[in-house]
Amino acid sequence: MSGANVQTQSTTSIHTEQIQGVVERLTFASPESGYSVARLKVPGERDLVTIVGSFANLQAGQTLKLIGFWRDHPKYGTQFQVTQYTETKPATLTGIEKYLGSGLIKGIGPVNAKRIVTHFGLETLDIIEYQIDRLIEVPGIGKKRVKMISLAWETQKAIKEVMVFLQSHGVSTTYAVKIFKQYGAAAIATVTQNPYQLATDIYGIGFITADAIARNLGIAPDSEFRYRAGIVHTLGEAAEDGHCFLPHAQLVLQAKERLKLADYQPDEDTIASLIFQMGMEDQLVMQGNQQHRFICYQKPFYIAEENLAKQLQSLLLRPLEVDGNRVSNWLDRYAQATNTVLSEAQQLAVQMAASQRMLILTGGPGTGKTFTTRTIVALWKAMGKSIALAAPTGRAAQRLGEMTGIEAKTIHRLLEFDPKTMGFKRNQDNPIAAKAIVIDEASMLDLFLAYSLIKAIPSDAQLLVVGDTDQLPSVGPGNVLGDLIDSNRIPVVRLTQVFRQAQSSAIVTNAHRINQGQYPKLESVSPSPQSDCLWWGAPEPEHGVQAISDLLVDLIPKWGFNPMTEVQVLCPMTRGVVGTRNLNGVLQQLLNPASPEKAEVVRGGVTFRVGDRIIQQVNDYNREVFNGDLGTIVAIDSEEQEATIQFDQRLVNYDWADLNEIALAWSISIHKSQGSEYPVVIVPLYMTHFLMLSRNLFYTALTRAKQLAVIVGAPKAIGLAVRQVKDKERYTLLAKRLGNSMMAIAHHSTEDEK
């Protein structure tokens, strides 16, 4: 089958040659571009030949006819630069066996490949192509396996067609499998008709990629498809920055900028007209003396924000009668029985949790949020209430359960997500089966999760929301915890007193210093440190990488911690020498190096290996694995083309096509660490991170450490992080919808909503 013609550079003045051989091994492959480096066994050549170029789906064992030219790479020596290629069937038994056993076809690994080739010899590929049912003749291969191989063979042929088509139109090979899974036989037709649909349907493909495909297909720059996709993309980018809407004028300007090409200027009037036609919820906002302005939502954002406010108002309006004296007496007995003394603020929180429909409990580290929450749960239990506990992440839920002695779930599991309907089973018609509900780590709640949660709160239940407003806001759109507090409609108890036992922790005291804009007091790293908050000065990023390596290999084990399971490196950014991408490669080699006993698979230029720590990068409702969940790869099966990952106590299987949903997690971003705690945290801070450095970022990173925090970097970066307050305003109206500070909101409905 012919691959796509690939022109890597002008060859008009370069002498081209043709060579043929069998791919011995794949050295590097980038799914984003198809660019690959491989070693080719060429008949008559003693040494393997290095080939480089772009390929649709290069695998070991493939027999290729290649057209290209020789070049000398200054570092890697002589290479054959491929400009065109054609795949032919392997001609030798060894080639056929290597080809089949390469992992190209699900259901055939090295063992079954050997069995099949031993049985059918040189006729193997013809048998698979035309008489695949005869595989039942091979010892050890049953009907179920034959069916799997047959389906995989047909799918592989179809995927190759899609790959070649996409590559010929300038799109990468990364998403070919996902595109085929999404559209099946209609893949090429869908992409041809409206490539912008890919940005809506396929995770990882955005407007920019879809737009490049569209241009290659000849779709006009003023196409309505393109304009609509650009508007949606602009609002999507705003949502990634935390916004629920954009002012109308800002949306028009940003969409115009996104739709602009070197030879084309979009029309503002057309954009504005389409925004109206698309049913973007236009709100006329009148605040104080401000001039009127239109603001534009994607419809789901408007519905979620408006109805979240209504659901909360409905909950708050229901009266609740409680005997305050009985609560006070119980609290006295509880304090005596547990030999504890509650502060005035803690006592107030317990009494209000007993008498209010909803209470927000907030405060920094060491102020007693945990003990107060545990006391409230004990009170509710004594009152005979059925209790449900939840948090946004698995780690936070596990910690909440351990703290209270009652099982806690992730919010997604509490709401019982149904993959069939892609929605939650628990809602206003089927509420959570509890009369008292605790939601911890509420700073992580985004607009949509908060709306789904509040919809499912029974009308006669009570809700305790616990969170730290000084942490980073949610990764998703909205500023829910901050808005709930700012509305002045929901009772709030702030815990500010740092208790004596917490004052002995430099992590706690430094977190409060950072929060107050003061430089933290850090003890220099030494063989026998006396503090739980340490500093390793390493002036340049390269020094920082070495310092982190030395900590993990030498000092941290001496301090009694396991680098494999108890240490998390948290970075402000993904890019750069001390970004998560580079550090993950370094730390993987350090902590989980390659060995014959560890299976591995390469995807997107990243090697995933048994024993690797990984992080989920997107909500996967079918697997019930969510953005930010950490796991460990426990098995890789090249025959089934599956990786098995353990998340807490659950084993989850990933098809290789879905491995772009995960990333290595020896190092993760500080944003991704929200809701989690680790025994040891290492935080590199450098001026190369200046775009991200802020007080709440540093504060969030430091408060992830339970027993030890080590800051590595340059003092100047710490000073900048402490000084910079980047609480960038998010466009959200939840506080105003919920409160009374807004003078008016006039809603202009679109016709289909009336």
Side-chain angles (χ1 to χ4, degrees), residues 397-409:
Q398 183 180 356
R399 195 168 65 247
L400 179 61
E402 291 168 352
M403 171 181 80
T404 58
I406 298 175
E407 181 193 9
K409 301 177 179 179

Side-chain angles (χ1 to χ4, degrees), residues 462-727:
Q462 292 176 267
L463 176 62
L464 173 66
V465 175
V466 185
D468 184 349
T469 55
D470 294 316
Q471 289 188 27
L472 290 166
S474 61
V475 175
N479 184 25
V480 173
L481 181 60
D483 284 350
L484 295 183
I485 293 171
D486 291 344
S487 72
N488 295 317
R489 288 292 308 276
I490 299 168
V492 178
V493 174
R494 296 180 185 272
L495 302 179
T496 57
Q497 178 185 339
V498 179
F499 287 89
R500 187 179 304 167
Q501 62 268 34
Q503 290 174 359
S504 64
S505 166
I507 293 172
V508 172
T509 56
N510 278 324
H512 286 280
R513 288 181 65 85
I514 291 166
N515 211 18
Q516 293 160 13
Q518 300 173 5
Y519 200 94
K521 294 180 178 179
L522 304 169
E523 177 186 317
S524 294
V525 168
S526 66
S528 302
Q530 303 301 306
S531 172
D532 62 357
C533 199
L534 305 177
W535 161 251
W536 186 319
E540 299 298 329
E542 292 78 6
H543 302 151
V545 174
Q546 187 59 53
I548 292 168
S549 301
D550 291 344
L551 280 164
L552 290 167
V553 171
D554 185 23
L555 290 173
I556 281 174
K558 289 179 181 176
W559 296 337
F561 298 102
N562 184 341
M564 287 287 289
T565 58
E566 296 183 298
V567 182
Q568 185 62 61
V569 179
L570 302 179
C571 299
M573 297 176 71
T574 58
R575 298 188 299 274
V577 175
V578 279
T580 59
R581 287 176 191 160
N582 182 58
L583 280 174
N584 269 317
V586 172
L587 301 184
Q588 181 191 49
Q589 184 62 29
L590 201 67
L591 300 174
N592 191 35
S595 75
E597 294 78 31
K598 296 176 188 172
E600 60 182 47
V601 58
V602 179
R603 280 295 178 271
V606 176
T607 299
F608 293 105
R609 185 175 296 136
V610 169
D612 275 336
R613 188 188 304 166
I614 63 91
I615 186 167
Q616 178 75 11
Q617 300 189 100
V618 61
N619 288 338
D620 188 328
Y621 296 104
N622 291 309
R623 294 186 179 91
E624 289 191 54
V625 184
F626 304 103
N627 191 358
D629 284 357
L630 290 173
T632 303
I633 299 175
V634 295
I636 292 175
D637 188 330
S638 60
E639 196 156 293
E640 301 295 331
Q641 294 191 2
E642 284 185 344
T644 303
I645 300 173
Q646 182 164 348
F647 292 95
D648 296 324
Q649 304 305 312
R650 290 196 316 132
L651 294 177
V652 181
N653 291 329
Y654 282 71
D655 188 275
W656 285 5
D658 296 324
L659 291 181
N660 69 333
E661 291 186 5
I662 65 171
L664 292 174
W666 301 109
S667 171
I668 64 174
S669 70
I670 296 169
H671 281 83
K672 293 283 189 181
S673 74
Q674 288 175 266
S676 296
E677 284 185 346
Y678 316 93
V680 181
V681 161
I682 299 174
V683 185
L685 290 179
Y686 284 90
M687 291 304 292
T688 53
H689 300 141
F690 76 95
L691 286 173
M692 297 297 296
L693 293 179
S694 68
R695 189 177 298 173
N696 60 1
L697 185 91
F698 191 10
Y699 174 87
T700 300
L702 193 61
T703 53
R704 299 310 91 204
K706 289 196 292 186
Q707 295 172 259
L708 177 66
V710 186
I711 313 302
V712 174
K716 190 176 178 182
I718 290 182
L720 181 62
V722 170
R723 288 193 307 274
Q724 288 202 124
V725 179
K726 286 191 175 180
D727 294 332

Side-chain angles (χ1 to χ4, degrees), residues 162 165-166 168-169 179 183 185-198 210 213-220 223 225:
V162 173
F165 170 80
L166 291 174
S168 69
H169 288 92
I179 290 171
Y183 304 120
I188 292 175
T190 302
V191 173
T192 303
Q193 182 180 358
N194 180 14
Y196 296 104
Q197 192 65 36
L198 298 176
I213 301 170
R215 298 306 308 279
N216 273 290
L217 289 168
I219 292 178
S223 157
F225 278 145

Side-chain angles (χ1 to χ4, degrees), residues 240-389:
E240 289 178 8
D241 288 335
H243 301 302
C244 296
F245 64 86
L246 281 179
H248 183 273
Q250 189 171 329
L251 174 58
V252 171
L253 288 175
Q254 290 185 10
K256 180 183 177 183
E257 187 64 28
R258 173 53 66 202
L259 291 164
K260 185 171 67 175
L261 298 170
D263 57 351
Y264 176 74
Q265 283 291 335
D267 180 65
E268 287 188 20
D269 291 339
T270 303
I271 295 171
S273 175
L274 276 174
I275 289 170
F276 178 76
Q277 290 178 34
M278 291 167 71
M280 302 292 180
E281 294 297 333
D282 283 2
Q283 305 291 318
L284 185 60
V285 181
M286 293 174 281
Q287 271 182 283
N289 296 321
Q290 284 188 3
Q291 291 184 343
H292 297 174
R293 61 175 182 170
F294 283 101
I295 59 177
C296 302
Y297 288 83
Q298 290 190 69
K299 190 172 180 177
F301 288 72
Y302 172 78
I303 292 171
E305 189 177 82
E306 174 78 354
N307 289 336
L308 172 57
K310 288 179 179 177
Q311 294 279 353
L312 285 166
Q313 288 166 345
S314 177
L315 180 66
L316 293 167
L317 287 173
R318 289 184 65 86
L320 185 68
E321 293 185 8
V322 174
D323 187 334
N325 290 329
R326 291 188 65 183
V327 173
S328 296
N329 292 336
W330 178 91
L331 193 51
D332 291 339
R333 293 194 303 272
Y334 181 82
Q336 189 173 1
T338 55
N339 194 27
T340 55
V341 178
L342 277 73
S343 69
E344 288 185 18
Q346 287 178 308
Q347 291 182 51
L348 176 63
V350 176
Q351 290 166 343
M352 292 184 72
S355 60
Q356 300 291 330
R357 281 289 172 202
M358 183 174 177
L359 173 69
I360 297 173
L361 178 65
T362 187
T367 58
K369 287 199 308 296
T370 297
F371 181 71
T372 306
T373 301
R374 187 164 60 220
T375 304
I376 290 170
V377 170
L379 170 62
W380 280 345
K381 199 172 181 181
M383 295 172 74
K385 293 180 178 289
S386 52
I387 300 170
L389 310 176

